[in-house]
Amino acid sequence: MSHLVTIKTEIKDMVAVRAACLRLGWAFMEGQKTYAWFGESMGDYPLPDGITVDDLGKCDHAIRVPNARYEIGLVKRGQKFLPVWDFWCSGGLSEKTGNQFAQAYAVERTKAEARKQGRLVTETAMPTGKIKLTISLEGAA
Amino acid sequence: MKSMEVIIDAEGGVSLQTKGFNGQGCKSASEALEKALGVNLSDKATAEAYSAATTSKLVQ
């Protein structure tokens, strides 16, 4: 039997976070407890689930993006980390910054898990912006 | 050839498809990766699976 699974990525693994930052050319600031942002919530966009106005600007780790004044905060909630960032234009981050990080994280987490199982992985960039990883499972039951 | 194809979209969403399996082996082949990545939103058997099941019924 073969099957198709869809998965919502959750950021849990710090090794993959570091690898994702390296992949993107961003700097992982381990243990940095605040992230740079506008500094005041204007209430013009809904906050991510699990984040309140009082949480803004506080984090467990941070990520610096080259040429951006603002930073991404990784906020721990249970076993996972939520990426939080301010995409007001003068800060240099966009609405898609967090998505870009989530994609890089999923790629690196997948490759690490495949390597752990001794599998060969081939990466292909697709024209749509998607990334395809093909993992050989020869020898699997 | 047994393989797993993982497609990661621009938002970080993942679709994972096992290929070339007969029987339940595909589930255990992808289980560890599914857990490592996050929350499983859906899980469907593919046409290949139905094809294998039909063939198996005819043989019986």
Side-chain angles (χ1 to χ4, degrees):
Chain A
M1 190 176 93
S2 293
H3 69 148
L4 173 66
V5 183
T6 54
I7 299 165
K8 184 183 176 200
T9 304
E10 290 187 336
I11 297 167
K12 292 180 177 173
D13 182 80
M14 285 301 114
V15 175
V17 167
R18 275 191 205 91
C21 288
L22 195 65
R23 176 186 183 89
L24 294 165
W26 299 356
F28 178 49
M29 311 307 292
E30 187 166 10
Q32 184 177 312
K33 299 296 181 193
T34 59
Y35 63 93
W37 69 300
F38 180 66
E40 185 185 349
S41 172
M42 306 311 285
D44 44 358
Y45 284 91
L47 296 175
D49 284 345
I51 300 291
T52 67
V53 171
D54 289 340
D55 296 326
L56 295 175
K58 300 170 195 161
C59 58
D60 297 278
H61 306 288
I63 297 169
R64 284 187 191 155
V65 178
N67 304 317
R69 286 197 300 124
Y70 291 174
E71 297 169 321
I72 302 168
L74 294 180
V75 180
K76 192 164 190 192
R77 288 288 178 269
Q79 297 296 307
K80 64 185 178 183
F81 290 88
L82 303 176
V84 183
W85 71 102
D86 184 348
F87 50 82
W88 187 54
C89 56
S90 73
L93 303 179
S94 80
E95 278 190 79
K96 292 182 178 172
T97 299
N99 295 340
Q100 204 181 345
F101 177 73
Q103 185 188 42
Y105 173 87
V107 169
E108 294 301 326
R109 188 71 189 91
T110 300
K111 285 162 81 172
E113 186 61 33
R115 280 196 294 262
K116 190 172 130 191
Q117 293 173 21
R119 305 292 180 194
L120 183 69
V121 187
T122 310
E123 179 176 336
T124 312
M126 300 170 81
T128 52
K130 294 178 181 177
I131 295 172
K132 181 167 82 174
L133 299 173
T134 307
I135 303 169
S136 171
L137 296 175
E138 279 310 298
Chain B
M1 182 179 146
K2 290 173 185 166
S3 66
M4 190 153 49
E5 190 176 274
V6 182
I7 295 181
I8 300 149
D9 66 29
E11 285 78 43
V14 176
S15 75
L16 179 160
Q17 185 168 5
T18 54
K19 295 184 170 183
F21 282 83
N22 292 315
Q24 296 292 319
C26 66
K27 293 270 185 190
S28 56
S30 63
E31 198 176 17
L33 180 57
E34 290 171 35
K35 279 185 183 164
L37 282 170
V39 179
N40 190 329
L41 298 176
S42 73
D43 187 346
K44 293 180 211 163
T46 61
E48 190 182 19
Y50 292 118
S51 162
T54 307
T55 308
S56 156
K57 249 187 180 175
L58 287 173
V59 171
Q60 284 167 7

